Amino acid sequence: MPRPPRRTPVNRSRFAILGALTIAPMSGYDLRRFFEENLAFLWSESYGQIYPILRDLKAEGLVEEAPPEAGAGRRREYRITPAGRTALADWIAAPVTFVPGRIEILLKLFFARQAAPGTAEAHIAAFRAEHRERLARYAAVEERLRTELAAFPDNVYWRMTLAYGRLGSEAMLAWCDEAERLLRDAR
Amino acid sequence: MPRPPRRTPVNRSRFAILGALTIAPMSGYDLRRFFEENLAFLWSESYGQIYPILRDLKAEGLVEEAPPEAGAGRRREYRITPAGRTALADWIAAPVTFVPGRIEILLKLFFARQAAPGTAEAHIAAFRAEHRERLARYAAVEERLRTELAAFPDNVYWRMTLAYGRLGSEAMLAWCDEAERLLRDAR
DNA sequence: TCCCGCATGTAATAAGTTACATGATTCT
DNA sequence: AGAATCATGTAACTTATTACATGCGGGA
């Protein structure tokens, strides 16, 4: 007798894809780029996930394939179905699952006494550079949201996610300062 | 001919375990609790990782097993070896790998227009509660670091990781306010 | 013609969790 | 005796990435 499944599967990638398809019909290739270009710091999907999930979603009737257009090569475009919209809405409404963090820089810093002096300082410096760069990118997106994307019905939700990134990175810069101060005081 | 490995494996769990063993010799059970109790919001390890890794680490000479003590049941205690310390120090010194985020609440909010009105507000409220709770827990740890753990040689590094958590959660509370404001303005 | 961008798809592998099986010791 | 806690270990599964194989269409 096969063992029963342990718990309801999580499947966040399916809903990421379904969500992306509410913006516009897309191919697997488009989806990859959509996440890469618009959601880089908040979500990512790889081909190894996208294509099999698209196949499953189609089999379940949550997406449908657009009829192939002439001269579009091998391109296969998918759009979300009403059933897909319902499934997505249900998932969005369900409580957010708490994922225990695995933040590599903190693990390294927690044990940094084991490494050569200056190691913690170097990681903090790289971290500061990373978040400064992100802030610059967020500012560019914020500008687009205020202008060309101002009329999009999702605009307010996109601003919210952007604000998360901005406030998060600003806090990380403040943390870099505090961490360096702690290190200096300890010497 | 077998294909060559694609890239150097990541193996962060090995180093988390090695790091924990620099604090004190521990059993697999101890390690689980160590992460759960001390690093909950920053790192986690499950038994399914811990026991096999301990076995491998021992085979590689990076940890060694303490001779079994009388009346300690089945307990097997491990301590880090000099080779293990070297391997750990090397890993800590290596640049931090950037892991693209997969932040579920942001994914849900990004597409929240697809869900019933009030969904975004509910997620934000739960998120605020979560971070308020974390701040309380951080305050308790901060107190311990100032008193009973003040003399620990790792103290400054532990304060740094704690500061990360505190500043991060404070920023998340500020974001909750801003997100709610954005939502109100949009109505 | 050759390269690039668009495009689909999969095999191998990595990384991790959950739930279970099992058993010893300590506390009430 | 029974419950709780300490303790080890693994099988099944889930989730995800990477690198590759393959191919079309357009422009230099």
Side-chain angles (χ1 to χ4, degrees), chain A residues 53-133:
Chain A
I53 286 175
L54 242 17
R55 188 218 297 130
D56 297 349
L57 252 22
K58 188 186 168 188
E60 292 167 46
L62 303 184
V63 305
E64 60 190 11
E65 209 178 327
E69 280 176 77
R74 297 208 284 157
R75 180 184 172 84
R76 305 175 62 173
E77 201 176 71
Y78 298 87
R79 59 171 161 250
I80 192 168
T81 63
R85 276 180 201 276
T86 306
L88 175 63
D90 289 349
W91 176 76
I92 294 173
V96 173
T97 345
F98 164 72
V99 184
R102 291 176 78 89
I103 306 167
E104 192 178 293
I105 191 173
L106 291 189
L107 190 63
K108 291 197 174 197
L109 291 179
F110 197 86
F111 299 121
R113 188 172 65 89
Q114 306 296 323
T119 301
E121 285 85 348
H123 287 325
I124 293 164
F127 196 69
R128 176 183 281 118
E130 167 75 21
H131 282 284
R132 276 216 243 264
E133 219 173 279

Side-chain angles (χ1 to χ4, degrees), chain B residues 111-151:
Chain B
F111 299 120
R113 187 172 64 90
Q114 304 297 322
T119 301
E121 284 84 349
H123 287 325
I124 293 165
F127 196 70
R128 177 183 280 118
E130 167 74 21
H131 283 283
R132 276 217 243 263
E133 220 173 277
R134 288 191 193 188
L135 281 175
R137 300 237 236 145
Y138 294 145
V141 179
E142 200 127 47
E143 179 58 23
R144 285 182 61 214
L145 282 176
R146 259 199 312 272
T147 53
E148 56 173 309
L149 300 176

Side-chain angles (χ1 to χ4, degrees), chain A:
Chain A
M1 194 166 55
R3 243 191 271 183
R6 286 109 215 277
R7 64 174 166 120
T8 44
V10 181
N11 272 332
R12 289 127 85 228
S13 293
R14 300 164 64 83
F15 299 108
I17 289 171
L18 244 19
L21 294 180
T22 66
I23 312 298
M26 289 188 225
S27 67
Y29 190 85
D30 293 338
L31 281 162
R32 182 77 221 275
R33 291 180 44 129
F34 174 80
F35 290 110
E36 184 101 337
E37 287 168 15
N38 300 293
L39 302 173
F41 300 125
L42 104 83
W43 203 262
S44 72
E45 292 295 343
S46 59
Y47 288 132
Q49 291 275 95
I50 291 170
Y51 287 109
I53 286 175
L54 242 17
R55 188 218 297 130
D56 297 349
L57 252 22
K58 188 186 168 188
E60 292 167 46
L62 303 184
V63 305
E64 60 190 11
E65 209 178 327
E69 280 176 77
R74 297 208 284 157
R75 180 184 172 84
R76 305 175 62 173
E77 201 176 71
Y78 298 87
R79 59 171 161 250
I80 192 168
T81 63
R85 276 180 201 276
T86 306
L88 175 63
D90 289 349
W91 176 76
I92 294 173
V96 173
T97 345
F98 164 72
V99 184
R102 291 176 78 89
I103 306 167
E104 192 178 293
I105 191 173
L106 291 189
L107 190 63
K108 291 197 174 197
L109 291 179
F110 197 86
F111 299 121
R113 188 172 65 89
Q114 306 296 323
T119 301
E121 285 85 348
H123 287 325
I124 293 164
F127 196 69
R128 176 183 281 118
E130 167 75 21
H131 282 284
R132 276 216 243 264
E133 219 173 279
R134 288 191 193 188
L135 282 175
R137 298 237 236 148
Y138 294 145
V141 179
E142 200 126 47
E143 179 57 24
R144 284 181 61 213
L145 282 175
R146 257 198 314 272
T147 55
E148 56 172 308
L149 301 175
F152 254 75
D154 297 282
N155 189 280
V156 64
Y157 298 106
W158 296 354
R159 276 172 197 262
M160 281 173 44
T161 58
L162 193 60
Y164 183 107
R166 175 171 38 77
L167 289 167
S169 284
E170 280 167 0
M172 291 304 102
L173 291 182
W175 171 74
C176 288
D177 295 342
E178 177 150 349
E180 282 170 349
R181 198 168 45 68
L182 281 167
L183 246 18
R184 267 197 308 276
D185 291 354
R187 266 194 292 109

Side-chain angles (χ1 to χ4, degrees), chain B residues 2-176:
Chain B
R3 245 192 270 182
R6 287 110 214 277
R7 65 176 166 120
T8 44
V10 181
N11 272 330
R12 290 125 87 228
S13 293
R14 300 165 64 83
F15 298 108
I17 290 171
L18 244 18
L21 294 180
T22 66
I23 313 296
M26 289 189 224
S27 67
Y29 190 84
D30 293 338
L31 282 162
R32 182 78 221 274
R33 292 180 44 129
F34 174 80
F35 290 109
E36 184 101 339
E37 287 168 15
N38 300 292
L39 302 174
F41 300 125
L42 104 84
W43 203 261
S44 71
E45 291 296 342
S46 58
Y47 288 133
Q49 292 275 94
I50 291 170
Y51 287 109
I53 286 175
L54 242 17
R55 187 220 296 130
D56 297 348
L57 253 20
K58 188 186 167 187
E60 291 167 46
L62 303 184
V63 305
E64 60 191 9
E65 209 178 326
E69 280 175 76
R74 297 207 284 160
R75 181 186 169 83
R76 305 175 63 174
E77 200 176 71
Y78 298 87
R79 62 171 160 251
I80 192 168
T81 64
R85 277 180 200 275
T86 305
L88 175 63
D90 288 350
W91 176 76
I92 294 173
V96 172
T97 346
F98 165 72
V99 185
R102 290 177 78 90
I103 305 168
E104 192 178 292
I105 190 173
L106 291 189
L107 190 62
K108 291 196 173 197
L109 291 179
F110 196 87
F111 299 120
R113 187 172 64 90
Q114 304 297 322
T119 301
E121 284 84 349
H123 287 325
I124 293 165
F127 196 70
R128 177 183 280 118
E130 167 74 21
H131 283 283
R132 276 217 243 263
E133 220 173 277
R134 288 191 193 188
L135 281 175
R137 300 237 236 145
Y138 294 145
V141 179
E142 200 127 47
E143 179 58 23
R144 285 182 61 214
L145 282 176
R146 259 199 312 272
T147 53
E148 56 173 309
L149 300 176
F152 254 75
D154 297 282
N155 189 279
V156 64
Y157 298 105
W158 297 353
R159 276 173 197 261
M160 280 172 44
T161 57
L162 193 59
Y164 182 107
R166 175 171 38 76
L167 289 167
S169 284
E170 280 167 359
M172 290 303 102
L173 292 183
W175 172 74
C176 288

